[in-house]
Amino acid sequence: MTTPREVSPELRVLLMTPTAKDAVLAATVLAPVGIAALACADLRQVVNELERGAGAVLIAEEAIADMVASGLAQFLKAQPAWSDLPILVLARKGADSNTISAAMEVIGNVTVLERPMRVASLVSALRSALRARRRQYELRDHLQRLRVSDQRKTEFLATLAHELRNPMAPLSMTLEVLKRSVPTPDAARRHYELMGRQLDHMVRLVDDLMEVSRITRGKIALQLEPLRLDQVIQDAVEQSTPLFVVDEHQLVMQLASAPMTIRGDRVRLAQIFANLLNNAAKYTPAGGRIEISTSREGNEAVVVVRDNGDGIAAEMLPDIFEMFVQVSGTARVAQGGLGIGLTLVRSLVELHGGTVEAHSGGLGHGTEFVVTLPIARQADEPRESPVSGYSQSQFSGVILIVDDNRDAADTLAELLKLSGAQAVVAYNGPDALALAATIRPTLAILDIGMPGMDGCELAERLLSDPAHEGLKLAAITGWGQENDRLRVAAAGFAHHLLKPVDVGALHAMLAEASVDCQ
């Protein structure tokens, strides 16, 4: 049974009965059924208590005349949109109801109870009122969550704009320099390397956005295999080392002496720990200390990433893994990041059957992230991972490139020609059909999002022509969601390339297409 002391002030009943004795009696009757009640001497006390919260108000008909003078009417009019405080009026039997009718115009949510009344009827009426009040509080909390979410999304969009402008500025200036001068080969190489770094940064931002969308919706398949945890940690450290070097951070690794085997996706696991290490580097001042350690607790492998950096405020810890939440406000936004890295971490850890927690002593006291992952069965043996790479194989056939973005089509054709391939370009579907009838391409790389005849329609037209038997199709698009890939595959495409095209992925596709065409 619930006692009044356990009830929130927001769910108590404020009593203003005909006599003080009645109020005390009512409170005594309601306590055993779990309804917390507070007897008030007058309506002014009721109004004062309402500031602390209440689930309902039970007042005698005689007190209604004091509503305006006491401030109760003003309080009720000033309620927020979600609130409609239940008012229960104890009316005298056979009394003239004009007073109550007039009050209802002011109060609104009124239930009239004729006295004397049975205790069971009073309890039932109050429980109904409190149930309605709980629903109002649920609506209030929902609206508050929506406001917070909306604010975070607004901050996220501002951060995204900021992060995209950062690499765009040096790209723009470098292009201007190249237009106004004839640089030496060494100077040109430096400019090109700068532009490549900034482009990679922009691609990484967009990839992160697409990645978190896929993972949080469960649209990702893990390539599970037995893995040595220490090798995964080494992969992550290798990815994050450039950040440590820039700010001269001290990285301390304390790996368990006995190897631990886990079952997971090596790329995704490395992504988890690289994100945590990058986060530590981002929020740790230059020269700070970052630690990563592993240990075994029962059937779980435990990885701890700890830093002595900015720390996390206590009120932020419960939300730290939510989408769009920045770790330390806007103070370090300029260091990069969209506030989605930790969301990716949690989602990927959970996909591996693990957990992740964040701990901090508060602002200025560093942060600790603890990841637990299930240890694989003893029978599992980690296999050596093959070294990835690509071969710039010559492509013997003719490649048709179709893209309404002329610059994109022309530069892709130029890149393919530098690799020894024969490439021709069309900028729309009808021209591509006419050109294909003449050159009989072996491979067609089609932009999907073209106006008029899009890439999927063009693919269907090409494949339906017996003259193009054996033609292989590759889609090139900025759309990389699962449903986009399914639509592309259904249209007959054998390959799916995302813009901007990764050179390694392009050559790997050419090598595979060469084999298919033999």
Side-chain angles (χ1 to χ4, degrees):
M1 180 180 294
T2 306
T3 65
R5 286 188 299 274
E6 297 171 331
V7 177
S8 164
E10 290 190 332
L11 290 174
R12 59 188 178 155
V13 177
L14 303 179
L15 304 176
M16 178 60 217
T17 53
T19 67
K21 181 180 178 181
D22 291 336
V24 173
L25 179 61
T28 303
V29 169
L30 295 174
V33 296
I35 298 178
L38 175 67
C40 299
D42 52 35
L43 284 186
R44 291 186 184 277
Q45 184 182 355
V46 170
V47 174
N48 290 336
E49 291 295 334
L50 284 173
E51 298 292 343
R52 295 182 55 220
V57 176
L58 179 66
I59 63 175
E61 178 187 1
E62 295 87 340
I64 289 179
D66 297 330
M67 281 200 315
V68 175
S70 65
L72 178 58
Q74 292 86 333
F75 179 92
L76 295 174
K77 286 182 179 180
Q79 292 180 94
W82 59 265
S83 178
D84 192 13
L85 179 67
I87 306 292
L88 292 84
V89 178
L90 291 172
R92 292 168 296 180
K93 185 176 182 179
D96 191 333
S97 62
N98 289 338
T99 302
I100 296 176
S101 298
M104 291 176 68
E105 297 296 327
V106 178
I107 299 176
N109 188 7
V110 176
T111 300
V112 179
L113 305 175
E114 191 176 86
R115 66 179 197 255
M117 65 183 307
R118 298 176 60 187
V119 171
S121 299
L122 176 62
V123 170
S124 177
L126 288 174
R127 281 179 169 167
S128 295
L130 292 174
R131 221 171 13 248
R133 190 62 169 168
R134 286 190 183 94
R135 287 194 291 269
Q136 293 175 25
Y137 289 141
E138 290 172 0
L139 176 60
R140 175 197 63 185
D141 296 342
H142 179 65
L143 291 173
Q144 177 61 21
R145 288 192 295 270
L146 288 177
R147 281 193 291 269
V148 171
S149 177
D150 185 62
Q151 179 182 353
R152 287 176 179 168
K153 287 178 182 177
T154 300
E155 293 172 354
F156 167 76
L157 290 174
T159 303
L160 176 59
H162 176 276
E163 289 300 309
L164 290 175
R165 286 193 185 102
N166 275 343
M168 288 170 66
L171 279 172
S172 175
M173 289 185 289
T174 302
L175 285 171
E176 193 64 28
V177 168
L178 291 174
K179 285 192 295 184
R180 293 172 176 239
S181 64
V182 181
T184 64
D186 287 342
R189 185 178 300 106
R190 289 196 300 272
H191 290 314
Y192 299 145
E193 289 173 350
L194 180 151
M195 294 170 70
R197 287 194 301 271
Q198 300 305 319
L199 181 60
D200 288 344
H201 180 61
M202 293 180 71
V203 171
R204 190 165 62 250
L205 291 175
V206 175
D207 284 348
D208 282 349
L209 288 172
M210 303 300 291
E211 187 87 320
V212 75
S213 175
R214 286 194 296 269
I215 292 175
T216 54
R217 292 186 297 113
K219 301 296 184 180
I220 183 173
L222 299 179
Q223 303 299 317
L224 299 177
E225 60 177 326
L227 299 168
R228 284 270 299 272
L229 180 59
D230 56 342
Q231 294 176 345
V232 172
I233 299 299
Q234 292 288 356
D235 290 346
V237 170
E238 181 178 333
Q239 293 179 32
S240 301
T241 295
L243 290 178
F244 303 146
V245 172
V246 169
D247 283 335
E248 299 180 340
H249 289 129
Q250 178 188 4
L251 176 64
V252 178
M253 296 178 60
Q254 297 176 335
L255 304 184
S257 56
M260 288 180 285
T261 299
I262 58 177
R263 185 169 178 79
D265 185 311
R266 183 163 185 166
V267 173
R268 297 302 184 180
L269 287 170
Q271 184 180 8
I272 290 170
F273 300 116
N275 274 359
L276 292 177
L277 290 169
N278 292 346
N279 197 73
K282 175 182 176 183
Y283 291 105
T284 300
R289 178 185 174 94
I290 298 171
E291 304 174 10
I292 184 167
S293 63
T294 64
S295 61
R296 178 169 183 160
E297 294 183 5
N299 293 323
E300 292 183 326
V302 181
V303 182
V304 178
V305 177
R306 183 184 297 112
D307 64 67
N308 62 351
D310 293 351
I312 304 172
E315 63 272 16
M316 290 289 294
L317 279 173
D319 300 324
I320 200 65
F321 295 104
E322 298 300 322
M323 182 83 82
F324 310 139
V325 174
Q326 289 284 351
V327 174
S328 298
T330 58
R332 288 185 178 265
V333 165
Q335 294 192 18
L338 300 176
I340 60 179
L342 293 180
T343 304
L344 282 172
V345 166
R346 181 180 63 180
S347 299
L348 287 172
V349 168
E350 290 176 350
L351 284 175
H352 282 84
T355 63
V356 59
E357 297 178 349
H359 307 282
S360 177
L363 294 178
H365 294 282
T367 305
E368 177 184 273
F369 288 93
V370 181
V371 176
T372 64
L373 294 167
I375 291 179
R377 295 174 303 174
Q378 190 172 6
D380 287 334
E381 290 291 337
R383 300 187 299 272
E384 292 295 328
S385 298
V387 178
S388 61
Y390 63 85
S391 172
Q392 297 190 24
S393 303
Q394 299 287 331
F395 188 83
S396 57
V398 178
I399 302 174
L400 171 63
I401 299 170
V402 187
D403 196 328
D404 63 302
N405 185 322
R406 290 175 175 262
D407 290 340
D410 293 342
T411 52
L412 177 57
E414 185 174 352
L415 178 61
L416 290 173
K417 289 175 182 177
L418 290 173
S419 300
Q422 182 181 353
V424 293
V425 175
Y427 305 115
N428 56 63
D431 287 351
L433 289 173
L435 185 59
T438 303
I439 65 172
R440 295 289 193 271
T442 310
L443 171 68
I445 302 177
L446 312 181
D447 176 35
I448 297 300
M450 295 185 292
M453 186 188 300
D454 68 8
C456 288
E457 181 183 351
L458 175 58
E460 293 169 358
R461 297 274 294 273
L462 288 170
L463 294 178
S464 65
D465 187 343
H468 298 305
E469 183 179 358
L471 173 65
K472 298 298 179 182
L473 299 181
I476 181 168
T477 176
W479 302 99
Q481 299 287 45
E482 185 64 22
N483 59 330
D484 301 313
R485 293 183 179 275
L486 292 174
R487 175 172 172 256
V488 165
F493 287 90
H495 306 278
H496 190 135
L497 299 172
L498 283 177
K499 294 181 178 180
V501 177
D502 178 77
V503 177
L506 177 64
H507 283 291
M509 184 272 290
L510 290 178
E512 185 177 342
S514 295
V515 174
D516 292 340
C517 294
Q518 289 177 357

